[in-house]
Amino acid sequence: CRNLYSNPPLYGARLVDTILNDPKLTKDWHGELVIMSTRMAQMRSGIVERLRGLNNPHDWQHIQDQIGMFAFTGLSTDLVNKMREEHHVFMTADGRISIAGLNTGNIDHVANSFHAVTKDLKSW
């Protein structure tokens, strides 16, 4: 059954070969990487700015300072569960959230949810 859901490594290698051996495709790919990484940086700074705007008492700069598709929030498992159960914001139990999953349609909700579960805490 597994072979129905997995691609052999050869397909990925062929895709990379096709893109990197075609100057136009390589240029397009580099441009798309810039677009995506810029968007994720904007989502990181956006959530931090919104939390500051809500006068959240905690320093969220670590979210903005990280790179990549995920961010470690520092939330405890109890707070992660509260985010999920009360605000329908999902992340791993150790507080890692998908930055790639944030967008202009949900970033306010996510920031408000972080604020709601942390505003009255000295630390977690």
Side-chain angles (χ1 to χ4, degrees):
C1 187
R2 180 158 166 73
N3 63 352
L4 295 175
Y5 300 101
S6 296
N7 290 324
L10 183 59
Y11 292 125
R14 285 183 181 161
L15 180 62
V16 169
D17 183 61
T18 299
I19 292 170
L20 294 181
N21 284 305
D22 181 317
K24 182 186 180 323
L25 290 177
T26 301
K27 182 180 177 185
D28 290 348
W29 177 60
H30 286 164
E32 290 168 2
L33 289 174
V34 169
I35 291 167
M36 182 54 69
S37 62
T38 299
R39 189 190 78 75
M40 286 192 287
Q42 290 169 341
M43 292 299 105
R44 287 178 182 281
S45 62
I47 201 149
V48 172
E49 289 168 9
R50 283 164 175 79
L51 286 162
R52 286 180 183 146
L54 292 166
N55 293 316
N56 188 276
H58 304 287
D59 181 8
W60 295 94
Q61 185 63 39
H62 61 281
I63 291 177
Q64 189 169 342
D65 292 343
Q66 296 171 43
I67 59 171
M69 294 176 57
F70 295 89
F72 182 71
T73 63
L75 295 184
S76 67
T77 302
D78 288 340
L79 292 175
V80 168
N81 290 336
K82 195 170 187 179
M83 290 282 285
R84 183 183 67 244
E85 293 164 10
E86 296 179 14
H87 302 280
H88 311 287
V89 174
F90 297 85
M91 64 189 80
T92 61
D94 65 357
R96 193 171 56 111
I97 192 166
S98 171
I99 295 300
L102 294 175
N103 59 59
T104 56
N106 66 15
I107 193 169
D108 288 330
H109 173 71
V110 173
N112 288 332
S113 300
F114 274 115
H115 182 64
V117 302
T118 64
K119 66 182 178 183
D120 296 325
L121 302 175
K122 293 218 183 259
S123 67
W124 57 83

